[in-house]
Amino acid sequence: IAAAAAPDPDGGAQQQEQEQQQQPQSSSGGSPAPAAVAGHSQPSLLVHAELPVHGAVLSAMSEYFRTLIQSWQGTERRLQMLVGDDETLVAEALVEFMYTGELPQLGHDDMLRLMRLSDKFQVKNCPAACARRFADTPMEELSLDTVCAIFEWPGFLQEAQPFAGVSTKAWAKLLDVFGDLEAAWQDSTRRQQFLSLPIKAVRKLLASDQLAVVSENTLLVALAGWIEAQARRSSSSGSTVSILGGAEACQQQQQQQPQPLQLQE
């Protein structure tokens, strides 16, 4: 397992070369081939650990790894997963799942990372298992931070199975907290939480016929407050905020989503 090394303009390339030289030679025959899981910050990768794995297991559990293994040439037998620096422990859990078929005990945020990572590497049954774990999570244990992370997913991911089930759970939590917008706005804690919601969550809430409000004035006050809060945050960070509507807003939001993780072979 590896994490991203901090950029070093003088020694980055040299460090990466040294890391590659220090990696143990892969074994042949029936022995497991090491699989390194690496962070994706540039310019160098810092190897955290290596896991011995078996090609037969990975090929059976992952279409991605099956394709890599079938395209191997020469004597080198090394697989490398390029992941985010906050996903190295989750990547190790993913390898464990491919062997055991069981989910480890992870926090909700790490479970989300595992779900997306397993979908990215096409690991059978893992996304569905993560979705079932979320479905069984009591509503009171689901944090708003986790809900916000789910609403930051690209739209196509929120609608695809089994991710749609997780999105439905997040929406139910959102309604549980803000469904009575009048009461939520009068509560200082929930009002501040509303002002921190991502734009997708705010848009879906305010457009929902499940939202309880006395009048449309409440919607306008809540929306104006959210816009003002976003403007203050953007001003303090030196960036700008654009309030868009319709198709333009959807396109802009999709462009702001993180790019899919890249893989280093």
PDB file of all heavy atoms in Angstrom, residues 24-45:
ATOM      1  N   PRO A  24      11.029  -5.476  -4.060  1.00  0.00           N
ATOM      2  CA  PRO A  24      11.499  -6.847  -4.252  1.00  0.00           C
ATOM      3  C   PRO A  24      11.106  -7.389  -5.619  1.00  0.00           C
ATOM      4  O   PRO A  24      10.081  -7.008  -6.178  1.00  0.00           O
ATOM      5  CB  PRO A  24      10.791  -7.615  -3.130  1.00  0.00           C
ATOM      6  CG  PRO A  24       9.612  -6.773  -2.772  1.00  0.00           C
ATOM      7  CD  PRO A  24      10.035  -5.365  -3.007  1.00  0.00           C
ATOM      8  N   GLN A  25      11.945  -8.263  -6.155  1.00  0.00           N
ATOM      9  CA  GLN A  25      11.654  -8.869  -7.442  1.00  0.00           C
ATOM     10  C   GLN A  25      10.459  -9.796  -7.296  1.00  0.00           C
ATOM     11  O   GLN A  25      10.289 -10.479  -6.294  1.00  0.00           O
ATOM     12  CB  GLN A  25      12.873  -9.670  -7.931  1.00  0.00           C
ATOM     13  CG  GLN A  25      14.085  -8.795  -8.203  1.00  0.00           C
ATOM     14  CD  GLN A  25      13.822  -7.817  -9.336  1.00  0.00           C
ATOM     15  OE1 GLN A  25      13.218  -8.169 -10.331  1.00  0.00           O
ATOM     16  NE2 GLN A  25      14.268  -6.573  -9.172  1.00  0.00           N
ATOM     17  N   SER A  26       9.598  -9.805  -8.324  1.00  0.00           N
ATOM     18  CA  SER A  26       8.421 -10.658  -8.268  1.00  0.00           C
ATOM     19  C   SER A  26       8.815 -12.110  -8.463  1.00  0.00           C
ATOM     20  O   SER A  26       9.804 -12.427  -9.114  1.00  0.00           O
ATOM     21  CB  SER A  26       7.428 -10.233  -9.357  1.00  0.00           C
ATOM     22  OG  SER A  26       8.027 -10.344 -10.623  1.00  0.00           O
ATOM     23  N   SER A  27       8.022 -12.964  -7.865  1.00  0.00           N
ATOM     24  CA  SER A  27       8.285 -14.397  -7.983  1.00  0.00           C
ATOM     25  C   SER A  27       7.559 -14.940  -9.200  1.00  0.00           C
ATOM     26  O   SER A  27       6.699 -14.298  -9.779  1.00  0.00           O
ATOM     27  CB  SER A  27       7.812 -15.115  -6.719  1.00  0.00           C
ATOM     28  OG  SER A  27       6.451 -14.830  -6.473  1.00  0.00           O
ATOM     29  N   SER A  28       7.872 -16.155  -9.586  1.00  0.00           N
ATOM     30  CA  SER A  28       7.253 -16.783 -10.755  1.00  0.00           C
ATOM     31  C   SER A  28       6.525 -18.040 -10.331  1.00  0.00           C
ATOM     32  O   SER A  28       6.525 -18.426  -9.173  1.00  0.00           O
ATOM     33  CB  SER A  28       8.323 -17.115 -11.791  1.00  0.00           C
ATOM     34  OG  SER A  28       9.299 -17.962 -11.216  1.00  0.00           O
ATOM     35  N   GLY A  29       5.937 -18.706 -11.316  1.00  0.00           N
ATOM     36  CA  GLY A  29       5.230 -19.937 -11.043  1.00  0.00           C
ATOM     37  C   GLY A  29       3.968 -19.687 -10.247  1.00  0.00           C
ATOM     38  O   GLY A  29       3.215 -18.769 -10.485  1.00  0.00           O
ATOM     39  N   GLY A  30       3.742 -20.536  -9.202  1.00  0.00           N
ATOM     40  CA  GLY A  30       2.523 -20.442  -8.415  1.00  0.00           C
ATOM     41  C   GLY A  30       2.618 -19.460  -7.280  1.00  0.00           C
ATOM     42  O   GLY A  30       1.662 -19.304  -6.527  1.00  0.00           O
ATOM     43  N   SER A  31       3.748 -18.822  -7.103  1.00  0.00           N
ATOM     44  CA  SER A  31       3.897 -17.877  -6.002  1.00  0.00           C
ATOM     45  C   SER A  31       3.121 -16.610  -6.292  1.00  0.00           C
ATOM     46  O   SER A  31       2.962 -16.217  -7.437  1.00  0.00           O
ATOM     47  CB  SER A  31       5.374 -17.527  -5.783  1.00  0.00           C
ATOM     48  OG  SER A  31       6.118 -18.677  -5.485  1.00  0.00           O
ATOM     49  N   PRO A  32       2.632 -15.942  -5.233  1.00  0.00           N
ATOM     50  CA  PRO A  32       1.859 -14.721  -5.454  1.00  0.00           C
ATOM     51  C   PRO A  32       2.716 -13.599  -5.991  1.00  0.00           C
ATOM     52  O   PRO A  32       3.889 -13.475  -5.667  1.00  0.00           O
ATOM     53  CB  PRO A  32       1.320 -14.396  -4.050  1.00  0.00           C
ATOM     54  CG  PRO A  32       2.260 -15.073  -3.101  1.00  0.00           C
ATOM     55  CD  PRO A  32       2.737 -16.292  -3.813  1.00  0.00           C
ATOM     56  N   ALA A  33       2.118 -12.751  -6.841  1.00  0.00           N
ATOM     57  CA  ALA A  33       2.808 -11.582  -7.374  1.00  0.00           C
ATOM     58  C   ALA A  33       2.456 -10.377  -6.526  1.00  0.00           C
ATOM     59  O   ALA A  33       1.310 -10.185  -6.168  1.00  0.00           O
ATOM     60  CB  ALA A  33       2.367 -11.338  -8.823  1.00  0.00           C
ATOM     61  N   PRO A  34       3.453  -9.535  -6.169  1.00  0.00           N
ATOM     62  CA  PRO A  34       3.131  -8.401  -5.328  1.00  0.00           C
ATOM     63  C   PRO A  34       2.273  -7.366  -6.044  1.00  0.00           C
ATOM     64  O   PRO A  34       2.472  -7.095  -7.220  1.00  0.00           O
ATOM     65  CB  PRO A  34       4.508  -7.808  -4.981  1.00  0.00           C
ATOM     66  CG  PRO A  34       5.503  -8.498  -5.818  1.00  0.00           C
ATOM     67  CD  PRO A  34       4.850  -9.636  -6.529  1.00  0.00           C
ATOM     68  N   ALA A  35       1.308  -6.807  -5.329  1.00  0.00           N
ATOM     69  CA  ALA A  35       0.473  -5.734  -5.874  1.00  0.00           C
ATOM     70  C   ALA A  35       0.681  -4.501  -5.026  1.00  0.00           C
ATOM     71  O   ALA A  35       0.363  -4.495  -3.857  1.00  0.00           O
ATOM     72  CB  ALA A  35      -0.999  -6.145  -5.854  1.00  0.00           C
ATOM     73  N   ALA A  36       1.221  -3.431  -5.596  1.00  0.00           N
ATOM     74  CA  ALA A  36       1.452  -2.196  -4.852  1.00  0.00           C
ATOM     75  C   ALA A  36       0.267  -1.275  -5.055  1.00  0.00           C
ATOM     76  O   ALA A  36      -0.234  -1.137  -6.160  1.00  0.00           O
ATOM     77  CB  ALA A  36       2.726  -1.514  -5.358  1.00  0.00           C
ATOM     78  N   VAL A  37      -0.177  -0.648  -3.976  1.00  0.00           N
ATOM     79  CA  VAL A  37      -1.266   0.305  -4.044  1.00  0.00           C
ATOM     80  C   VAL A  37      -0.676   1.668  -3.784  1.00  0.00           C
ATOM     81  O   VAL A  37      -0.049   1.885  -2.761  1.00  0.00           O
ATOM     82  CB  VAL A  37      -2.341  -0.013  -2.996  1.00  0.00           C
ATOM     83  CG1 VAL A  37      -3.520   0.924  -3.147  1.00  0.00           C
ATOM     84  CG2 VAL A  37      -2.791  -1.452  -3.142  1.00  0.00           C
ATOM     85  N   ALA A  38      -0.847   2.600  -4.738  1.00  0.00           N
ATOM     86  CA  ALA A  38      -0.086   3.847  -4.674  1.00  0.00           C
ATOM     87  C   ALA A  38      -0.985   5.064  -4.724  1.00  0.00           C
ATOM     88  O   ALA A  38      -2.063   5.034  -5.283  1.00  0.00           O
ATOM     89  CB  ALA A  38       0.897   3.911  -5.843  1.00  0.00           C
ATOM     90  N   GLY A  39      -0.531   6.156  -4.128  1.00  0.00           N
ATOM     91  CA  GLY A  39      -1.231   7.437  -4.181  1.00  0.00           C
ATOM     92  C   GLY A  39      -0.953   8.121  -5.511  1.00  0.00           C
ATOM     93  O   GLY A  39       0.005   7.794  -6.205  1.00  0.00           O
ATOM     94  N   HIS A  40      -1.772   9.128  -5.883  1.00  0.00           N
ATOM     95  CA  HIS A  40      -1.664   9.691  -7.220  1.00  0.00           C
ATOM     96  C   HIS A  40      -1.167  11.123  -7.247  1.00  0.00           C
ATOM     97  O   HIS A  40      -1.246  11.772  -8.273  1.00  0.00           O
ATOM     98  CB  HIS A  40      -3.016   9.600  -7.943  1.00  0.00           C
ATOM     99  CG  HIS A  40      -4.103  10.426  -7.343  1.00  0.00           C
ATOM    100  ND1 HIS A  40      -4.756  10.067  -6.198  1.00  0.00           N
ATOM    101  CD2 HIS A  40      -4.641  11.606  -7.745  1.00  0.00           C
ATOM    102  CE1 HIS A  40      -5.664  10.972  -5.919  1.00  0.00           C
ATOM    103  NE2 HIS A  40      -5.612  11.921  -6.837  1.00  0.00           N
ATOM    104  N   SER A  41      -0.658  11.677  -6.149  1.00  0.00           N
ATOM    105  CA  SER A  41      -0.090  13.012  -6.204  1.00  0.00           C
ATOM    106  C   SER A  41       1.211  12.980  -6.989  1.00  0.00           C
ATOM    107  O   SER A  41       1.969  12.030  -6.923  1.00  0.00           O
ATOM    108  CB  SER A  41       0.180  13.546  -4.798  1.00  0.00           C
ATOM    109  OG  SER A  41      -1.028  13.712  -4.095  1.00  0.00           O
ATOM    110  N   GLN A  42       1.455  14.029  -7.712  1.00  0.00           N
ATOM    111  CA  GLN A  42       2.665  14.107  -8.526  1.00  0.00           C
ATOM    112  C   GLN A  42       3.718  14.898  -7.763  1.00  0.00           C
ATOM    113  O   GLN A  42       3.394  15.716  -6.912  1.00  0.00           O
ATOM    114  CB  GLN A  42       2.331  14.783  -9.863  1.00  0.00           C
ATOM    115  CG  GLN A  42       1.344  13.994 -10.703  1.00  0.00           C
ATOM    116  CD  GLN A  42       1.856  12.638 -11.105  1.00  0.00           C
ATOM    117  OE1 GLN A  42       3.060  12.483 -11.345  1.00  0.00           O
ATOM    118  NE2 GLN A  42       0.987  11.667 -11.180  1.00  0.00           N
ATOM    119  N   PRO A  43       5.021  14.736  -8.058  1.00  0.00           N
ATOM    120  CA  PRO A  43       5.518  13.948  -9.182  1.00  0.00           C
ATOM    121  C   PRO A  43       5.925  12.541  -8.814  1.00  0.00           C
ATOM    122  O   PRO A  43       6.305  11.774  -9.679  1.00  0.00           O
ATOM    123  CB  PRO A  43       6.741  14.756  -9.612  1.00  0.00           C
ATOM    124  CG  PRO A  43       7.267  15.294  -8.316  1.00  0.00           C
ATOM    125  CD  PRO A  43       6.064  15.574  -7.455  1.00  0.00           C
ATOM    126  N   SER A  44       5.960  12.197  -7.500  1.00  0.00           N
ATOM    127  CA  SER A  44       6.490  10.896  -7.124  1.00  0.00           C
ATOM    128  C   SER A  44       5.474  10.116  -6.311  1.00  0.00           C
ATOM    129  O   SER A  44       4.505  10.667  -5.801  1.00  0.00           O
ATOM    130  CB  SER A  44       7.785  11.079  -6.323  1.00  0.00           C
ATOM    131  OG  SER A  44       7.513  11.794  -5.131  1.00  0.00           O
ATOM    132  N   LEU A  45       5.702   8.808  -6.196  1.00  0.00           N
ATOM    133  CA  LEU A  45       4.846   7.930  -5.423  1.00  0.00           C
ATOM    134  C   LEU A  45       5.646   7.355  -4.271  1.00  0.00           C
ATOM    135  O   LEU A  45       6.778   6.927  -4.440  1.00  0.00           O
ATOM    136  CB  LEU A  45       4.319   6.794  -6.312  1.00  0.00           C
ATOM    137  CG  LEU A  45       3.491   7.224  -7.528  1.00  0.00           C
ATOM    138  CD1 LEU A  45       3.129   6.010  -8.353  1.00  0.00           C
ATOM    139  CD2 LEU A  45       2.250   7.971  -7.091  1.00  0.00           C
TER     140      LEU A  45
END
